[in-house]
């Protein structure tokens, strides 16, 4: 982190801590309750950009349309955009955390704000993806590298 300003270093450290906190998201097994939150309450245009970016990156890591995703029912702008992006990338989506489909992949998300940036994370039992975004007039744009954590 040489050459980074103190606020940027602090933001990077906090972002990393948030992403690493996801390590325990699925430690209780596949039957753990899905908990997702959009504490940032991003507007629909930004939600669409963030969801499309993260789902595109998820598809790069695990393959597009490789399973049935289970999302907790939610009507936030990000939840709607995430559902749309997942379907666009070929994933089947079930909006129910009590699904009886054996191969369903639980997916959770967290959006929060820090120093004017939106921090976003998608988590599955196999992978966590995280990135910071700057809100713009057109929606949002990535303001940090993508963080990818694979679990075995």
């Amino acid at each position: 982190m040489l050459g980074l300003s103190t606020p940027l270093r602090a933001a990077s450290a906090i972002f990393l801590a948030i992403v690493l906190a996801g390590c325990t998201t699925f430690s209780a097994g596949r039957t753990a309750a899905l908990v997702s939150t959009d504490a940032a309450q991003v507007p629909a245009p930004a939600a669409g950009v963030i969801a499309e970016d993260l789902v595109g990156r998820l598809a790069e890591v695990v393959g597009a349309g490789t399973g049935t995703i289970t999302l907790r029912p939610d009507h936030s702008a990000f939840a709607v955009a995430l559902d749309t992006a997942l379907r666009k990338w070929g994933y089947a989506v079930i909006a129910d955390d009590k699904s009886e489909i054996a191969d369903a992949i639980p997916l959770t998300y967290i959006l929060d704000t820090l120093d004017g940036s939106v921090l976003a994370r998608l988590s599955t039992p196999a992978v966590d993806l995280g990135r910071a975004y700057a809100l713009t007039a057109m929606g949002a744009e990535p303001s940090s590298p993508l963080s990818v954590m694979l679990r075995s």
Side-chain angles (χ1 to χ4, degrees):
M1 291 194 180
L2 296 174
L4 294 178
S5 67
T6 301
L8 187 54
R9 267 191 235 160
S12 297
I14 291 171
F15 179 69
L16 181 61
I18 290 170
V19 170
L20 292 177
C23 293
T24 61
T25 301
F26 294 100
S27 62
R30 295 176 60 107
T31 59
L34 300 177
V35 178
S36 296
T37 183
D38 179 1
Q41 297 182 357
V42 295
V49 170
I50 294 168
E52 182 65 31
D53 180 52
L54 288 176
V55 172
R57 300 303 180 140
L58 178 68
E60 289 176 7
V61 174
V62 300
T66 55
T68 299
I69 303 291
T70 304
L71 289 175
R72 182 178 198 143
D74 186 349
H75 299 291
S76 70
F78 186 74
V80 171
L82 183 59
D83 184 284
T84 300
L86 287 164
R87 291 175 194 277
K88 180 180 173 184
W89 280 90
Y91 296 97
V93 179
I94 299 172
D96 181 8
D97 60 351
K98 296 175 180 73
S99 173
E100 297 299 322
I101 296 177
D103 295 346
I105 303 163
L107 183 134
T108 60
Y109 61 86
I110 295 176
L111 271 73
D112 210 343
T113 57
L114 177 69
D115 294 337
S117 292
V118 174
L119 306 177
R121 186 182 89 212
L122 291 183
S123 297
T124 72
V127 65
D128 275 350
L129 302 174
R131 179 176 260 180
Y133 295 86
L135 297 181
T136 67
M138 300 301 292
E141 63 183 35
S143 60
S144 76
L146 181 71
S147 171
V148 178
M149 182 176 59
L150 299 173
R151 290 193 262 306
S152 51

